[in-house]
Amino acid sequence: MKSTCFRLFFILFSLISSAQKNNYSTLFIPDSLKQNANAVLRLDQMDIVIASQRSMNIKTQRVVSVLNEKGLNDIDAYAHYDKTTSIKSIEAIVYDALGNEIKKIKRKDFRDQSAVSGSTLFSDNRVLYLDYTPISYPFTIVYTCETETSNTAFIPQWYFLGAYNLSVEKCALNVTFPKELGFKKKEFRFDGFNIKKTTDTDTNLGYIATNITAQKQEDLSPSYGELFPKVMMGLENFHLEGVDGKATTWEAFGKWYGEKILNGTTVLPDETKVKIKALVGDEKDPVKKAKIIYDYVQKKSRYVNIAVGIGGWKPMFASDVDRLGYGDCKALSNYTKALLEVVGVPSYNTILYGDRYKLDIQSDFVSMQGNHMILAVPNGNNYIWLECTSQDDPFGYQGVFTDDRDVLVVKPEGGEIVRTKIYDDKGNIQDGKGTYTIDENGNFSGVLKIASQGSQYASKSRVETMQPNEKEEHYKEYWDNINNLKLGRITFTNDKENVRFIEDAQMNASNYGTLSGTKMMFVVDAFNQYTGNIKRIRNRKNPFQIQRGYLDTDEIEINLPAGFSIEFLPSNFELKGKFGEYKTEIIKKDNNKLIYKRSMFVNKGKYSSKEYDEYRLFIEQVSRNDNAKIILNKN
């Protein structure tokens, strides 16, 4: 017995001793870093050496202990390469929970594939990435990579904490650069985090951060990029796409970009010019001309999704897009610009961050920024914004991918920071009008017309392109308050001229009304009931954000079953506050007919963590009143 215990002790001692050589055992992770974490960054280090205006070397080392399946996304073991960027070395080593090496993954074992599917013109743009399926959790991956590039326009942004539910044991950034290149930086949100600057001279910058605990993603939290500490970096004198550049002012930067990068990319074949001029005909109005061209591009071309940082910022030649019928955001915007030039309509390439979450170009930090390109067509003192990657968007509609954010408009005279279209909260409308009938057995049948505008158009119009099973799933989820729902005919009217999407729906359901003896009870609000849940969060840390406000209005005629009288009718209700307004009204037309009116207006805004409970109570009151019931009594 003693011998068995000794052997077990010896094995355990040996395993721990072996693990201590590299400290990759998850046993060494402090409990404070495991709390709320799916993964722990044991070490996250980047060493950037900018040797000259045309040479940058980046060494990356990430030691990631993955605690569960959700933590797999935090490994981030991949690298892009193309004609201007080469991968000098890349490797990963996997360790088990006790820190013992179980697998070494060399370059040949990384997946190597095109970064752009469906495009031959971008065949040189590729990505190496680690595709590892773990045997068990937790485990640790040590990932190292070294890349070299001649493009110095994009110095990676450095996030000391790169995701929710991720903790950091040690994080280090070291940058070396020649003094004459005009290196600059901008620091964000360092307060409250254990970050120290190790060096800050004319040629070096360094930071180290330790023991940053994992942050939970609380409901309605802003993006982690808006909350966590980061550093933006750039050069006043940089190199991009084979051309030296200068970024001192937005005006100078935009002028350089237009003259050195965009210049010469809008040449079109003569036969295409003839076709476009014939298509536009005698039309003189620039906006109407632009509509004709935009419609032509939507029908002729398709969008090829190219990852951020791939393909650079020099667009494909317009002649290539014209021949092949596809391109990325830069290529399609530039192609549309070329076609507009043919008919005398000016337009400007516009750089921005495209995402449902609004993110601004940092106007006080002149540098290469953004991940997307659209087109700006001047219209008086304003611009019409064209999303050239979409084959469905109405002319000039921005939806929720490019609205309400600072962007860089590249004009011949230079760059200009401009705000894109802001959709007014009360212009983001969903208006419902319909009728439903309850029979003597509690069965429900109804028709409803929903008209959506503003940002709500974007979320509704996508339903039209869904497959039949997807549509059914969508509507059953949308009307999840109606049990036993059966959908009838649903038709759509997509009024692109007025940017208005209309849904006409028929439906029925058995046992919507609950019968008990001589009484029947059912919820008044059948069509637009708030059934969501705002979680109670004790000691909330994060502020919360309502990205876009909206206004929902409903007017529904309710036909009650014959032979029943109203025993109880919910009272009219009104609620006003900083977050919006809510109002319901029930009008009795006669013994068997009611008119139900509902309006709900929500303000967009950023609110403090202390205001969250107030918002939660506001929504709870809405939800409670939306669930108000009528009680009928059989005569």
Side-chain angles (χ1 to χ4, degrees):
M1 185 70 179
K2 287 182 180 179
S3 175
T4 303
C5 289
F6 177 77
R7 281 198 301 272
L8 289 172
F9 173 78
F10 178 76
I11 291 168
L12 181 61
F13 177 79
S14 299
L15 287 171
I16 292 175
S17 297
S18 172
Q20 285 176 335
K21 292 177 184 177
N22 53 38
N23 290 338
Y24 294 150
S25 168
T26 55
L27 297 174
F28 297 125
I29 300 173
D31 289 341
S32 60
L33 294 182
K34 292 180 180 178
Q35 188 174 1
N36 301 320
N38 296 320
V40 180
L41 264 174
R42 315 290 292 280
L43 174 65
D44 188 14
Q45 181 165 331
M46 181 175 284
D47 298 297
I48 302 173
V49 177
I50 302 169
S52 69
Q53 190 169 355
R54 302 184 181 190
S55 175
M56 181 166 63
N57 178 283
I58 300 175
K59 291 180 180 177
T60 303
Q61 184 177 12
R62 282 175 70 87
V63 181
V64 190
S65 289
V66 180
L67 306 182
N68 56 52
E69 187 176 0
K70 292 180 181 178
L72 291 174
N73 292 329
D74 297 311
I75 294 175
D76 276 353
Y78 66 91
H80 291 286
Y81 67 98
D82 55 27
K83 289 180 179 178
T84 62
T85 301
S86 63
I87 301 173
K88 295 191 70 177
S89 64
I90 189 168
E91 184 182 79
I93 303 174
V94 186
Y95 297 86
D96 66 15
L98 290 173
N100 300 302
E101 182 180 322
I102 56 176
K103 188 177 180 66
K104 183 171 283 187
I105 303 165
K106 295 187 175 295
R107 178 174 182 142
K108 63 182 177 60
D109 301 315
F110 278 70
R111 291 286 182 92
D112 187 346
Q113 69 177 44
S114 172
V116 187
S117 60
S119 169
T120 56
L121 287 185
F122 293 95
S123 58
D124 292 323
N125 296 278
R126 303 190 67 79
V127 60
L128 282 179
Y129 69 96
L130 178 64
D131 184 16
Y132 176 70
T133 303
I135 300 170
S136 61
Y137 297 94
F139 68 94
T140 298
I141 282 188
V142 178
Y143 165 71
T144 55
C145 180
E146 181 179 359
T147 62
E148 277 193 352
T149 181
S150 59
N151 279 347
T152 56
F154 291 99
I155 302 176
Q157 292 188 27
W158 182 252
Y159 287 90
F160 294 90
L161 186 61
Y164 285 107
N165 300 110
L166 173 70
S167 61
V168 177
E169 192 168 353
K170 182 180 177 182
C171 174
L173 171 67
N174 301 295
V175 192
T176 302
F177 44 86
K179 181 179 178 180
E180 65 271 15
L181 294 187
F183 179 86
K184 52 192 172 183
K185 68 179 185 301
K186 183 177 181 181
E187 300 171 346
F188 296 79
R189 299 173 292 275
F190 276 26
D191 291 346
F193 293 91
N194 188 22
I195 302 171
K196 294 179 181 178
K197 193 176 290 182
T198 54
T199 182
D200 189 359
T201 68
D202 289 344
T203 57
N204 288 277
L205 177 68
Y207 300 92
I208 190 165
T210 55
N211 298 323
I212 301 177
T213 55
Q215 308 289 310
K216 288 197 298 185
Q217 185 170 11
E218 300 164 325
D219 279 6
L220 301 175
S221 291
S223 163
Y224 74 85
E226 296 286 287
L227 285 181
F228 300 160
K230 72 173 182 178
V231 178
M232 284 183 70
M233 297 170 285
L235 299 175
E236 288 188 353
N237 301 293
F238 58 86
H239 187 77
L240 176 68
E241 307 290 356
V243 183
D244 289 342
K246 207 169 186 66
T248 50
T249 66
W250 285 118
E251 184 180 2
F253 175 78
K255 189 171 178 60
W256 168 83
Y257 183 68
E259 291 178 353
K260 300 296 185 182
I261 303 297
L262 298 176
N263 188 37
T265 60
T266 56
V267 177
L268 288 167
D270 289 337
E271 56 267 31
T272 298
K273 294 180 183 179
V274 171
K275 183 196 296 184
I276 293 302
K277 287 178 180 177
L279 185 67
V280 170
D282 296 329
E283 182 58 63
K284 304 298 183 188
D285 187 308
V287 174
K288 291 180 179 177
K289 286 183 183 180
K291 278 187 179 180
I292 295 169
I293 297 298
Y294 186 68
D295 180 67
Y296 174 82
V297 172
Q298 285 187 308
K299 289 174 179 174
K300 176 180 172 59
S301 63
R302 65 181 174 87
Y303 171 58
V304 175
N305 184 21
I306 298 179
V308 178
I310 299 301
W313 277 107
K314 188 178 183 71
M316 286 168 58
F317 290 119
S319 56
D320 287 330
V321 180
D322 187 66
R323 175 172 53 87
L324 296 168
Y326 65 73
D328 70 341
C329 61
K330 304 181 295 292
L332 295 177
S333 295
N334 206 54
Y335 178 56
T336 307
K337 175 183 172 65
L339 295 174
L340 289 170
E341 284 177 1
V342 172
V343 294
V345 178
S347 62
Y348 310 124
N349 302 76
T350 300
I351 299 169
L352 72 157
Y353 288 104
D355 196 274
R356 288 184 63 85
Y357 188 91
K358 301 173 189 175
L359 186 62
D360 293 325
I361 293 284
Q362 292 293 322
S363 58
D364 61 350
F365 193 78
V366 182
S367 64
M368 286 301 298
Q369 297 181 48
N371 64 359
H372 189 52
M373 184 179 283
I374 60 175
L375 205 59
V377 178
N379 183 30
N381 295 324
N382 298 309
Y383 292 105
I384 296 169
W385 306 99
L386 299 184
E387 176 53 79
C388 300
T389 63
S390 173
Q391 294 178 300
D392 303 306
D393 281 355
F395 175 80
Y397 181 67
Q398 286 201 271
V400 295
F401 196 71
T402 60
D403 67 320
D404 191 15
R405 66 202 73 193
D406 285 345
V407 302
L408 175 64
V409 178
V410 180
K411 298 179 177 180
E413 61 270 24
E416 179 186 11
I417 300 293
V418 176
R419 196 79 180 173
T420 56
K421 181 176 176 64
I422 300 171
Y423 290 96
D424 182 74
D425 290 349
K426 290 189 176 178
N428 297 329
I429 300 168
Q430 176 185 293
D431 179 50
K433 286 186 168 54
T435 302
Y436 73 79
T437 299
I438 305 293
D439 69 15
E440 64 275 9
N441 297 312
N443 298 320
F444 168 100
S445 61
V447 294
L448 179 67
K449 175 178 284 190
I450 305 172
S452 302
Q453 295 175 267
S455 65
Q456 297 219 53
Y457 172 93
S459 59
K460 294 304 187 73
S461 58
R462 67 183 179 86
V463 180
E464 188 176 19
T465 59
M466 288 181 177
Q467 296 299 315
N469 62 316
E470 293 175 325
K471 287 177 185 173
E472 182 167 356
E473 185 179 339
H474 165 78
Y475 283 113
K476 285 192 173 180
E477 183 178 340
Y478 184 71
W479 288 306
D480 62 357
N481 56 296
I482 304 177
N483 293 327
N484 311 311
L485 177 67
K486 289 185 178 179
L487 297 169
R489 188 165 179 248
I490 298 177
T491 58
F492 307 108
T493 304
N494 194 346
D495 181 0
K496 293 188 178 183
E497 186 67 29
N498 296 299
V499 194
R500 192 165 179 258
F501 188 75
I502 299 171
E503 303 158 272
D504 281 291
Q506 300 173 353
M507 68 201 78
N508 62 77
S510 59
N511 304 318
Y512 182 75
T514 303
L515 292 166
S516 178
T518 61
K519 299 185 187 301
M520 181 191 293
M521 182 170 63
F522 63 91
V523 176
V524 184
D525 189 348
F527 291 132
N528 197 8
Q529 186 185 142
Y530 189 93
T531 58
N533 179 37
I534 303 293
K535 292 180 183 176
R536 184 189 297 272
I537 302 174
R538 298 186 186 280
N539 303 315
R540 183 185 175 100
K541 294 181 179 180
N542 297 336
F544 73 98
Q545 187 171 16
I546 301 170
Q547 279 266 306
R548 293 170 183 84
Y550 62 88
L551 173 63
D552 282 7
T553 58
D554 296 279
E555 184 170 326
I556 309 298
E557 181 181 280
I558 304 169
N559 296 307
L560 305 176
F564 283 79
S565 58
I566 298 171
E567 180 177 306
F568 173 80
L569 203 60
S571 302
N572 295 340
F573 185 80
E574 190 167 2
L575 183 63
K576 290 185 178 181
K578 70 177 74 170
F579 306 110
E581 300 176 10
Y582 171 81
K583 183 179 181 180
T584 59
E585 181 183 8
I586 300 176
I587 302 166
K588 189 175 179 182
K589 300 292 285 185
D590 54 46
N591 288 334
N592 291 93
K593 194 180 295 292
L594 302 171
I595 301 295
Y596 171 72
K597 294 183 179 182
R598 176 189 187 271
S599 66
M600 183 170 178
F601 169 63
V602 174
N603 286 309
K604 72 178 177 187
K606 294 182 178 179
Y607 302 94
S608 71
S609 59
K610 294 178 181 178
E611 295 172 290
Y612 179 78
D613 272 342
E614 189 180 343
Y615 176 70
R616 183 178 59 80
L617 292 172
F618 172 79
I619 294 298
E620 276 187 3
Q621 286 177 283
V622 169
S623 180
R624 193 180 306 119
N625 194 71
D626 275 357
N627 197 43
K629 299 174 178 65
I630 289 178
I631 300 176
L632 305 179
N633 195 26
K634 194 167 186 178
N635 299 331

